[in-house]
Amino acid sequence: MPLDPPRTVAELRELRQLTGDDEGAQRVAWTDTWELARAWLREKVSGTGASEVVDAAGNQWFTLPGDSERAVLIGGHIDSVPNGGWLDGCLNVTAGVEVLRRIAEDGTPPVTVRLVNWADEEGARFGRSLFGSSAAAGSMADQDELRQLADRDGIALPDALAEHGVDLNRALGAQAELESAVAYLELHIEQGPVLESLDLPLGVVLGTFGVERHRIIWKGQAAHAGSTPMAERRDALAGAAKLALDIREIARRTGDGAVCTSGGVVCRPGIVTSVVETAEQLLDQRHLDAGKLASMLEQAKEASARFAEEERIDVDFERIWSIEPILFDDTLLGFCEEAIVEVAGRAHRLPSGPLHDAAEVSRAGVPTVMLFVQSLRGLSHTKLEDTKEEHLELAVAALDRLASRTIDWAASGGGR
Ligand SMILES: [Zn+2]
């Protein structure tokens, strides 16, 4: 059967009906609803003749064998956040099913084509994102910390995984699945406002932002709110407040999509009658350029030292987490742009602020590209998440064109 993009939209609605409620999608990884979604996917793929394997990290692979074992991968994640949207993650696996159907209909492809449904991209239950893809990429290095994680009900991560047939100690065995991979393709909703503001349905994703996350500890002196003159105060919150405003300027000066966020400040003693003694501030900085990201962090540190001096307080930076920017493959970026121009007339190149499984696959050395479809109002991780139906259909068509080009390229020796 020829490619039928409206079928993908109908199937996405079906999945929403099956695994969502009035508050949105409920396909949180390592839950019964998630298993229900995985069974639904299995049933959708079954008509293509692709065979299923669940790897050591719980990733679900569907393989359509080709003349060569070299494999072009199409990937997404069917898990969602609680009260999530109807498209985040599952768009790519559902569109991938449609592309598999088209390829199977055309006969044996010259290279193997595999659809992968990554396990626990969102990290919604245990706070660890990109679980399955980082295991497959071999970059998962935090097993000791993962063993300590528990959900809100106190259930330990290893126990929850075991209920779904995954042994945390063996999760890195998933690396075997990427050995034959020559290219990786991922379609995703943008989850931001850029394409809508340009009135474009589809975009080529250049890569994912590097991220620097720090906890900044400001230390002053608690003092009585009534008896301490303004000039005598050593107010820890004043440093945090100055920095919260200054990072806007740092991002503006840096440009090229730079973003800086002060996501929270916790003050102690935190009572109305005391000057703040300690303020713990959370800082998240992102950029596609490693040098610019490093410079943004440097500027935040310099500004903090200045504010600490002005307020006669102390300041310390503790790194919580960081990841380098991931740039996608040049040849695949070109194919992606051609595919988008064919179906939509115009393409735009943009970076991704959110991380995606594609970043892990790319880090593992597999040539990778993503395409974005417009998100309405830029909303995601909420039941309000939406994309126009005609744009979803264009996205499926573009993914199919991109897959065709990539398969031809891989068949002629391109890719890893
Ligand atoms: Zn997603």
Side-chain angles (χ1 to χ4, degrees), residues 28 82-83 124-126 149-156:
V28 176
N83 305 330
R125 185 169 165 194
F126 294 99
L149 294 179
D151 69 8
R152 264 188 300 183
D153 299 325
I155 298 170

Side-chain angles (χ1 to χ4, degrees), residues 166-348:
V166 173
D167 176 353
L168 178 61
N169 299 317
R170 299 160 58 105
L172 280 166
Q175 285 178 87
E177 299 300 326
L178 283 188
E179 276 167 17
S180 57
V182 295
Y184 177 80
L185 313 175
E186 185 171 332
L187 161 68
H188 206 280
I189 53 167
E190 184 199 338
Q191 304 177 287
V194 174
L195 291 173
E196 188 180 33
S197 71
L198 295 169
D199 200 20
L200 290 175
L202 297 164
V204 182
V205 185
L206 291 162
T208 57
F209 277 174
V211 184
E212 283 284 1
R213 270 183 209 159
H214 287 81
R215 180 180 296 110
I216 305 167
I217 319 279
W218 301 88
K219 278 210 177 94
Q221 176 61 57
H224 195 286
S227 60
T228 317
M230 298 310 287
E232 301 298 314
R233 297 181 178 208
R234 297 176 56 227
D235 181 354
L237 179 58
K242 285 182 170 179
L243 184 64
L245 296 179
D246 198 68
I247 57 170
R248 302 180 183 186
E249 291 308 308
I250 293 173
R252 192 189 50 74
R253 280 199 301 270
T254 307
D256 293 334
V259 284
C260 298
T261 306
S262 173
V265 181
V266 176
C267 296
R268 288 188 194 86
I271 54 173
V272 73
T273 50
S274 176
V275 172
V276 172
E277 179 157 284
T278 63
E280 271 191 34
Q281 182 169 30
L282 298 172
L283 176 66
D284 177 295
Q285 298 180 292
R286 304 187 189 211
H287 206 284
L288 193 61
D289 180 284
K292 289 186 172 165
L293 179 61
S295 154
M296 290 206 301
L297 174 58
E298 212 34 59
Q299 291 177 59
K301 286 184 173 172
E302 279 167 20
S304 298
R306 194 168 72 242
F307 300 146
E309 202 178 308
E310 288 168 9
E311 300 297 330
R312 297 178 301 120
I313 56 181
D314 294 321
V315 65
D316 251 319
F317 273 60
E318 286 173 8
R319 177 175 272 134
I320 301 171
W321 184 75
S322 67
I323 187 170
E324 72 273 28
I326 310 280
L327 298 173
F328 293 149
D329 183 80
D330 261 339
T331 305
L332 292 178
L333 288 174
F335 291 163
C336 188
E337 180 150 350
E338 287 167 21
I340 290 175
V341 169
E342 269 181 31
V343 304
R346 249 179 345 134
H348 174 69

Side-chain angles (χ1 to χ4, degrees), residues 1 7 67 94 130 152 179 190 210 290 300 317 339 356 374 393:
M1 48 196 129
R7 173 166 47 192
D67 295 329
T94 313
L130 307 176
R152 264 188 300 183
E179 276 167 17
E190 184 199 338
F317 273 60
H356 290 287
Q374 188 192 105
E393 292 176 10

Side-chain angles (χ1 to χ4, degrees), residues 22-83:
D22 289 349
E23 301 307 315
Q26 306 298 346
R27 296 181 301 275
V28 176
W30 322 112
T31 65
D32 291 345
T33 307
W34 178 64
E35 287 292 1
L36 184 65
R38 283 155 66 90
W40 176 87
L41 180 63
R42 180 174 302 132
E43 138 74 46
K44 291 294 167 194
V45 176
S46 65
T48 67
S51 59
E52 185 194 8
V53 174
V54 175
D55 72 20
N59 302 310
Q60 197 178 15
W61 295 83
F62 300 97
T63 303
L64 204 59
D67 295 329
S68 150
E69 280 182 13
R70 288 160 51 79
V72 169
L73 312 183
I74 300 171
H77 62 95
I78 213 159
D79 72 306
S80 74
V81 295
N83 305 330

